[in-house]
Amino acid sequence: MSQDPKVIDAVVVGAGFAGLYAIKRLRDAGFSVQAFEAGDGIGGTWYWNHYPGARVDLECWDYSYSFSPELQDEWEWSHRYPTAQELMAYLEHVADRFRLREQIQFNTRVDAAEFIEAENVWLVRTSDGKTLKTRFLVPATGGLSVPKPPEIPGIETFKGEAYHTGRWPRKEPTYEGKRIGVIGTGSSGVQVIHTLAGKCKHLTVFQRTAVFVVPCKNHPLTPEMRQRARATYAERRALSRITRFGIPAAMPNDSALDATPEERKAKFENAWINSQLLGFRQCFGDILSNTEANELVAEFIRDKIRETVKDPETAKKLLPYGFPFGTKRPCLSDTYYSVYNRDDVSLVDLKSTPIVRVVPEGIETTEGLIELDMLIFATGYDALTGALTHIDVHGIGGRKLNDKWAEGAKTYLGLMTAGFPNLFTVTGPGSPGPLANMSMSIEQHVDWIADCMVYLRAHGIDRIDADKASEEAWMQHVQEVVSRTLYDKAQSWYRGANVPGKPQIFLPYLGGHGNYRKKCNDVAEAGYEGFVLARGKTAAAPARGEASLMADAGLAGGGV
Ligand code: N01
């Protein structure tokens, strides 16, 4: 595509699910591609997050690529929910099968990117001190890739081992005989806790906010199960493309409040027994939009906690309050609550017993010193924007992306941010991202981006940018959809509330994967409506007036 042999068509950042598919899709479309990956191997999120117990919480049939029927047929998943290690092996297989490694430079971080207006290219600076010019920049950096530190004084003084779940060391630490402290009880913390309980001398859990944990029902897969899944892959994927969550699960419309207590109990028990991530949300249509309906689920789960945890004081500390069920991502585990019945596991409720500081020997709380040999920070991520804002990105007029997003990230459709032409965000803020099946969302975005680049090439267009007014309207729409749900009632990482000082704005789009996919397709079919396309460096008017954008009735979404 590029006339200048020194200018590459696309730089892809990251070699996880998104980066690998971007390399394949763009290369297949005839573009020259160079990818950079900070780690020394394939895997992205799964490369960094292979802490004890790390596994995906969507079924393998859904959390995997759909672009190649041959790949689907040949890969043998071992479990319903594969481990991080198995997911890495899968992604390594994908990289080898499609010869993607040729395009990837490992151990190299993209440090900075500057848009050169006169040439319509990005000048990319990498950690090996080199620069490269590219027509398009595709950060496939993941929404959960920049670990959030725990902001506790004295951490640097700790003389034992200390690890963040999001930067797990390549060489697996040993746990036997050690006194281990885990800070954080989100999805990562819950998996670490149920895995390490019983495998170390003592496990102390430091909990700031109790979470809802529902059973996982993970199990090995038999050849018959695989065969059945293979036979239905085509329908499964087709259905996933039109549903709210990007998995083959229909959402009901009925209200929990219209059901009898017996009907509700039967549905909730069924969700508990046959659990999966969406089980409770699939019971009734208003679990995420009606406080009373939501509280019925919340109290059902609290009862399960009371039944499981023998010590009533410990059970009380584990009861989640203060946010509606599902508005922080529920965690999956079959044994999480029962580990607190063990003598070698203790729970510190940080609300009643705060941490004072970390000291060389362990953690000092308001009730005294807890001696530790290992500290595990499961304290989450600077989610959705962190990976991009950690790159020094300068757009039109030298404007820094960090400055533009100082009041909160803004994008048009989660695909581009105005003033930063030819930079595509994969599952960026403003797209369903983490509120849908990530692998499905990634494929949808990468396909859209690749098709867009093909269109630009075919029409001799040098530059595409989000129209500012379209971006404003889209972000308003994102917020408006949130306001129809209970999501706003939680201080979650979806809105940046977990990172001190981060502007708080709800970032994922809750309108549903299927609706969103249709919207993106419609925009493309209308000649990239709401984007500004230009030849040379002269900007044209938006491809079409953005006024029609929000009139799309199909976008009226409910809570995800
Ligand atoms: O991070 P989190 P995560 N002192 O932000 C606590 C995906 N994921 O890595 O709630 C004490 O959810 C914090 O407390 P609070 C999934 O989408 C998926 O667990 O802020 N505690 C919270 O308990 C998930 O949602 C899978 O009060 C502190 C915890 O740390 C997302 O990744 C597996 C603290 C952080 O929870 C993030 O999950 C793993 C402090 N200073 C992750 N700072 C699967 O697919 C933070 N906390 C299964």
Side-chain angles (χ1 to χ4, degrees):
M1 179 179 188
S2 174
Q3 305 303 310
D4 182 346
K6 289 199 274 321
V7 177
I8 204 149
D9 290 328
V11 161
V12 171
V13 191
F17 259 96
L20 292 181
Y21 186 50
I23 297 167
K24 168 155 182 21
R25 194 61 176 71
L26 295 177
R27 201 182 59 184
D28 288 354
F31 296 107
S32 54
V33 183
Q34 175 64 57
F36 295 102
E37 165 56 52
D40 65 5
I42 301 284
T45 294
W46 299 106
Y47 172 93
W48 299 108
N49 281 271
H50 59 108
Y51 54 79
R55 61 173 76 238
V56 67
D57 58 7
L58 285 182
E59 289 186 279
C60 55
W61 321 119
D62 302 316
Y63 190 79
S64 48
Y65 291 116
S66 71
F67 68 82
S68 163
E70 296 78 22
L71 174 65
Q72 282 179 167
D73 281 347
E74 74 200 15
W75 185 258
E76 301 268 304
W77 292 112
S78 77
H79 281 74
R80 183 184 186 198
Y81 301 107
T83 60
Q85 287 75 7
E86 186 167 356
L87 286 159
M88 268 176 63
Y90 169 72
L91 292 173
E92 280 167 5
H93 170 73
V94 170
D96 292 334
R97 191 188 198 290
F98 298 103
R99 293 180 298 98
L100 304 177
R101 289 180 200 268
E102 295 162 18
Q103 262 73 42
I104 307 170
Q105 183 176 323
F106 292 98
N107 296 308
T108 311
R109 189 172 283 285
V110 168
D111 287 334
E114 180 192 347
F115 188 68
I116 303 175
E117 288 176 65
E119 301 171 48
N120 279 325
V121 297
W122 283 93
L123 180 67
V124 172
R125 200 177 68 235
T126 46
S127 55
D128 56 358
K130 296 193 175 139
T131 56
L132 175 71
K133 282 183 180 174
T134 179
R135 295 272 330 278
F136 293 93
L137 183 57
V138 185
T141 36
L144 296 162
S145 43
V146 176
K148 183 203 86 82
E151 310 103 14
I152 300 169
I155 282 178
E156 67 291 347
T157 68
F158 183 59
K159 66 174 197 289
E161 299 159 78
Y163 308 109
H164 191 289
T165 48
R167 284 288 177 275
W168 207 253
R170 304 313 305 161
K171 186 174 180 316
E172 187 69 15
T174 59
Y175 309 105
E176 294 74 24
K178 291 182 181 166
R179 297 160 302 176
I180 299 178
V182 179
I183 301 181
T185 52
S187 301
S188 305
V190 163
Q191 291 185 326
V192 169
I193 292 160
H194 76 206
T195 306
L196 290 188
K199 295 206 177 74
C200 56
K201 185 172 180 194
H202 195 93
L203 187 70
T204 307
V205 177
F206 297 88
Q207 171 195 272
R208 191 163 70 180
T209 306
V211 278
F212 291 97
V213 182
V214 299
C216 169
K217 301 286 154 69
N218 188 30
H219 56 73
L221 297 171
T222 62
E224 293 72 33
M225 287 172 183
R226 285 193 209 102
Q227 202 41 48
R228 265 203 308 279
R230 283 189 181 119
T232 57
Y233 252 132
E235 302 93 271
R236 190 175 184 108
R237 302 295 201 183
L239 182 57
S240 300
R241 290 192 179 94
I242 57 172
T243 62
R244 186 180 290 178
F245 294 101
I247 61 173
M251 300 305 287
N253 289 319
D254 55 334
S255 167
L257 306 180
D258 293 336
T260 64
E262 294 73 29
E263 285 166 345
R264 283 197 295 259
K265 187 161 174 19
K267 280 200 176 185
F268 293 161
E269 283 292 352
N270 182 48
W272 186 262
I273 291 164
N274 299 306
S275 197
Q276 42 104 343
L277 186 60
L278 290 181
F280 282 96
R281 287 173 273 185
Q282 279 179 293
C283 287
F284 296 100
D286 55 355
I287 300 298
L288 291 172
S289 56
N290 181 300
T291 306
E292 223 182 307
N294 189 285
E295 184 56 20
L296 291 166
V297 173
E299 196 46 29
F300 176 89
I301 297 173
R302 289 186 203 117
D303 276 344
K304 291 290 183 193
I305 301 170
R306 292 181 187 106
E307 275 169 31
T308 310
V309 181
K310 290 188 184 131
D311 172 38
E313 273 310 301
T314 306
K316 204 168 155 196
K317 290 176 188 167
L318 288 165
L319 299 181
Y321 282 105
F323 60 97
F325 167 79
T327 56
K328 285 183 164 202
R329 191 180 167 100
C331 307
L332 261 61
S333 169
D334 290 322
T335 52
Y336 179 69
Y337 292 118
S338 58
V339 302
Y340 292 98
N341 294 330
R342 300 179 61 99
D343 293 336
D344 55 3
V345 176
S346 38
L347 177 68
V348 178
D349 173 26
L350 297 180
K351 291 223 161 80
S352 54
T353 313
I355 293 174
V356 178
R357 64 180 72 85
V358 178
V359 294
E361 300 77 25
I363 287 189
E364 192 184 314
T365 73
T366 50
E367 288 184 359
L369 173 68
I370 297 169
E371 291 190 25
L372 299 167
D373 304 302
M374 183 187 292
L375 249 177
I376 297 177
F377 304 115
T379 46
Y381 300 87
D382 181 355
L384 303 172
T385 55
L388 255 183
T389 55
H390 276 69
I391 301 174
D392 190 19
V393 182
H394 294 251
I396 288 179
R399 188 172 191 201
K400 279 186 81 152
L401 183 64
N402 277 347
D403 291 339
K404 177 178 172 182
W405 285 2
E407 305 294 316
K410 283 186 180 168
T411 68
Y412 177 45
L413 294 171
L415 283 162
M416 299 198 90
T417 186
F420 296 79
N422 296 2
L423 186 160
F424 292 109
T425 48
V426 183
T427 63
S431 77
L435 290 173
N437 172 3
M438 264 311 219
S439 62
M440 204 26 90
S441 295
I442 283 168
E443 284 187 328
Q444 181 249 334
H445 259 202
V446 169
D447 286 340
W448 192 96
I449 291 165
D451 290 345
C452 175
M453 285 173 57
V454 168
Y455 175 94
L456 301 179
R457 178 175 61 190
H459 291 80
I461 292 165
D462 303 302
R463 188 201 282 199
I464 181 168
D465 197 357
D467 169 55
K468 234 176 144 187
S470 306
E471 177 172 285
E472 288 296 330
W474 179 254
M475 292 316 282
Q476 269 177 29
H477 176 62
V478 170
Q479 300 312 312
E480 192 268 320
V481 177
V482 178
S483 71
R484 283 186 252 146
T485 73
L486 301 175
Y487 277 89
D488 247 4
K489 298 191 187 305
Q491 293 297 309
S492 66
W493 59 259
Y494 298 142
R495 54 180 305 110
N498 64 327
V499 177
K502 187 167 176 173
Q504 289 205 28
I505 169 171
F506 198 91
L507 293 173
Y509 177 55
L510 280 168
H513 174 82
N515 289 335
Y516 171 79
R517 176 187 287 268
K518 179 176 181 313
K519 180 74 211 171
C520 292
N521 289 346
D522 290 350
V523 161
E525 273 161 32
Y528 295 92
E529 182 179 41
F531 289 93
V532 184
L533 313 185
R535 291 193 179 83
K537 62 176 267 204
T538 319
R544 248 180 47 192
E546 76 284 348
S548 64
L549 281 171
M550 297 309 122
D552 183 347
L555 273 182
V560 180

